[in-house]
Amino acid sequence: MNGQLILIRHGKAVEGTPEGDDFSRKLTDAGKKELAGFLADIAPLLTETANLKIWTSPLLRARETAELVAEATGVKEIEEKDFLATGVFAAFLEALKQEEDGFTVALVGHEPYMGMWTNELIGAPIPFKKGAAAFFTVNLDEEPIGKLEWLLAPGETLKCTQEQADGKRNRTNPFSESDEDSHKKDAEETMYEAIITEQMAGVQHAYAAYQQNPVDPESAHDLRVSIRQLRALLNFNKSNGDEGYYREASEDWRDIATTFGYLRELDVLMGECRQLWGLYPEMLAEDAQVMTWLKEERQAEQDSIALLIKSGALTERILDAEAATEQLLQSIQLNDRQQKKATIKKLEKMEKRLLRKWEEVDFTNHEETHSLRINAKKLRYAATYLAPIVGEKDKEIIKEMKKMQTSLGTLCDLQINGHLLLEMAEKTDDPELRSNFRKLSEHQFERREALLNQEED
């Protein structure tokens, strides 16, 4: 059974209050205006087939959004469905099976359910901004049952929409049609904007990958790296855009990455413990006290993050971060030629500063080495991902910064591991486990001291 689905999140609504009636929250006037313009732009894509149906959550803000969809597409009838308010995917799927082959249904609902339903359709959840629309082709006899064709939100143009829907955009080189002499920033996407958009899509992909396999240590790591890469690229233009938008976007993305920080620290520590199994076989066997404790601690942290995701709170943070990032991009008034000049200048300035710090660094000072390591990563990410702007990758910068990261990485990890183990020793009431944690902590600090002595030699 084949068809098409359009998932639409309601537009911007009045804020809820603890004593208010969530059912009766309506769209704001600004939300209606924004949504009406957006729907008018994408209406040709919604009505490619003549059999469009509109199903909506009965909540007022969704109903009003559905009415705007109907107005834009010329659909006369809107059906209210309780499962769009409650998020019960099984009930929705049962209703869909009653439709004729070749159906086209627009579903107007809420987060986190829209994002959760994309997970059911394509195997990966997608955060929905307010008013966003996602178009899927569907085959109920396949697994996964859906394929995402495009995802758009208010503020994106019909031209961009049609290019995505028709598959015309070159995803491996999204900058091929850029005009370096263009000053029409409001009409054309700059190369820098395209890079940031690609990077935000990478964060969404990593977020979906983590949810699919939170047990895999690499899934949390990849998500944190993708966010750090994005923050590094935003940092490159912080002086060229609105300072408030930059600060908001950077802090939002940092907070999201921090959510996964302790999980990553545990993964690094567990990996180190497994490397040390040969030295402490009884202490570090998979079923021994230390590893059992670490596994339980990781599971508890994973469960805590799962609650944030299930509640929709983490998705909302991502949407807020994306909105702040988009506002920052709109405040940057550099065309491609100006951006190239500014980027080359800043790459050179950062390289000189970090190489100078590398010559002066006190390796015994953890704060100093940790800060230098982070800044080396930022420069490497910038040199790598801003290459389309400057014309090619600066291989020398990338090589130097990677060398710096590698040299500092083990020192930093040993310091963090040592203190983490001491904190765990304080948490447990078991004398033997406390002793084991302290012994392992001492081993980490001794290894760090040995490396420092090698640096001095």
Side-chain angles (χ1 to χ4, degrees):
M1 186 176 179
N2 298 285
Q4 299 175 119
L5 294 175
I6 305 123
L7 270 59
I8 302 172
R9 185 185 179 188
H10 67 77
K12 295 175 182 175
V14 297
E15 294 295 329
T17 60
E19 66 279 358
D21 178 12
D22 184 63
F23 186 94
S24 300
R25 286 171 54 206
K26 59 184 180 180
L27 297 181
T28 64
D29 290 341
K32 287 182 180 179
K33 183 177 179 181
E34 177 185 65
L35 197 54
F38 171 62
L39 291 170
D41 264 357
I42 68 170
L45 297 175
L46 305 181
T47 54
E48 288 182 343
T49 61
N51 60 337
L52 177 65
K53 289 186 177 182
I54 300 174
W55 294 354
T56 184
S57 156
L59 276 62
L60 181 58
R61 58 191 180 277
R63 176 77 196 198
E64 289 182 338
T65 299
E67 289 170 356
L68 291 173
V69 176
E71 183 179 339
T73 57
V75 174
K76 302 299 183 185
E77 185 178 349
I78 299 172
E79 299 179 53
E80 291 188 357
K81 303 289 187 181
D82 287 340
F83 53 70
L84 282 166
T86 59
V88 181
F89 186 78
F92 153 67
L93 203 58
E94 192 60 36
L96 194 62
K97 290 177 181 178
Q98 307 306 312
E99 296 297 308
E100 296 182 359
D101 195 38
F103 58 80
T104 301
V105 182
L107 311 167
V108 182
H110 314 264
E111 276 286 73
Y113 305 132
M114 294 288 95
M116 291 164 63
W117 283 17
T118 62
N119 190 38
E120 298 287 349
L121 293 171
I122 65 173
I126 299 172
F128 275 66
K129 301 176 185 178
K130 290 175 182 176
F135 188 95
F136 303 83
T137 51
V138 175
N139 186 333
L140 299 184
D141 299 319
E142 293 183 353
E143 184 63 37
I145 63 175
K147 178 185 177 184
L148 177 65
E149 301 296 339
W150 50 260
L151 169 66
L152 293 163
E156 300 189 31
T157 65
L158 177 59
K159 177 176 181 292
C160 175
T161 305
Q162 290 172 328
E163 286 177 352
Q164 289 190 0
D166 295 340
K168 293 179 181 177
R169 185 172 181 181
N170 182 350
R171 303 305 292 178
T172 58
N173 182 13
F175 321 110
S176 57
E177 297 181 1
S178 297
D179 178 2
E180 289 192 350
D181 295 319
S182 173
H183 290 268
K184 298 177 182 178
K185 188 173 187 302
D186 291 337
E188 295 185 25
E189 184 179 54
T190 65
M191 294 173 74
Y192 179 74
E193 288 173 327
I195 290 169
I196 296 299
T197 300
E198 289 290 310
Q199 192 60 41
M200 284 198 291
V203 172
Q204 285 193 6
H205 176 79
Y207 180 50
Y210 170 79
Q211 292 180 72
Q212 289 178 291
N213 193 7
V215 177
D216 182 4
E218 292 305 310
S219 65
H221 178 58
D222 290 346
L223 177 55
R224 281 167 55 80
V225 168
S226 68
I227 293 173
R228 284 176 172 173
Q229 290 168 346
L230 176 57
R231 290 187 69 214
L233 298 179
L234 294 179
N235 177 268
F236 234 74
N237 253 328
K238 70 176 181 179
S239 62
N240 297 319
D242 183 276
E243 182 182 351
Y245 291 147
Y246 167 75
R247 187 168 56 251
E248 183 181 353
S250 183
E251 289 176 358
D252 283 350
W253 288 119
R254 181 194 61 201
D255 289 346
I256 295 163
T258 300
T259 302
F260 298 85
Y262 184 49
L263 194 69
R264 178 57 184 167
E265 288 180 352
L266 288 170
D267 286 336
V268 171
L269 178 57
M270 291 169 71
E272 172 71 4
C273 287
R274 290 187 174 102
Q275 291 292 323
L276 297 176
W277 175 83
L279 290 176
Y280 307 101
E282 293 183 1
M283 188 190 305
L284 296 178
E286 288 296 322
D287 59 350
Q289 270 189 312
V290 169
M291 291 305 293
T292 299
W293 198 96
L294 290 175
K295 289 175 184 177
E296 290 175 351
E297 183 77 353
R298 191 194 191 280
Q299 185 62 54
E301 184 65 10
Q302 182 182 311
D303 291 345
S304 176
I305 294 172
L307 287 175
L308 275 177
I309 295 173
K310 187 175 181 179
S311 71
L314 196 53
T315 297
E316 283 294 336
R317 286 187 201 172
I318 292 174
L319 294 175
D320 289 343
E322 288 183 339
T325 302
E326 288 168 359
Q327 288 175 315
L328 172 64
L329 292 176
Q330 290 303 310
S331 73
I332 296 171
Q333 297 300 313
L334 300 183
N335 62 31
D336 287 338
R337 176 174 290 178
Q338 294 166 330
Q339 185 70 67
K340 179 177 182 178
K341 183 178 179 180
T343 299
I344 292 173
K345 182 178 179 180
K346 188 158 186 177
L347 282 171
E348 292 173 348
K349 183 179 179 180
M350 286 184 68
E351 181 186 21
K352 288 179 181 178
R353 180 169 62 86
L354 290 181
L355 289 176
R356 185 177 67 252
K357 285 184 175 293
W358 175 244
E359 293 297 324
E360 301 169 352
V361 65
D362 177 4
F363 288 99
T364 65
N365 187 320
H366 173 67
E367 297 300 324
E368 195 173 321
T369 55
H370 184 59
S371 175
L372 183 54
R373 181 191 185 193
I374 289 174
N375 284 311
K377 285 182 181 180
K378 287 181 179 179
L379 182 53
R380 181 167 69 89
Y381 294 151
T384 301
Y385 292 98
L386 296 179
I389 292 176
V390 299
E392 61 181 353
K393 291 183 181 180
D394 193 321
K395 295 180 180 179
E396 188 60 31
I397 287 181
I398 294 171
K399 180 181 177 181
E400 288 293 330
M401 294 305 108
K402 192 168 185 180
K403 176 183 175 183
M404 197 178 296
Q405 279 181 247
T406 302
S407 298
L408 298 173
T410 304
L411 280 175
C412 292
D413 287 344
L414 290 171
Q415 178 81 358
I416 293 170
N417 287 344
H419 283 288
L420 196 57
L421 286 161
L422 286 179
E423 291 174 10
M424 291 173 178
E426 294 301 317
K427 285 184 180 181
T428 180
D429 295 326
D430 187 310
E432 182 181 354
L433 184 56
R434 184 184 301 117
S435 174
N436 288 341
F437 279 141
R438 288 175 177 169
K439 185 180 294 184
L440 289 170
S441 174
E442 184 178 350
H443 182 274
Q444 296 295 287
F445 291 134
E446 287 176 352
R447 280 187 60 198
R448 186 173 189 275
E449 191 65 29
L451 285 177
L452 289 172
N453 291 334
Q454 288 178 18
E455 291 291 341
E456 290 177 0
D457 294 340

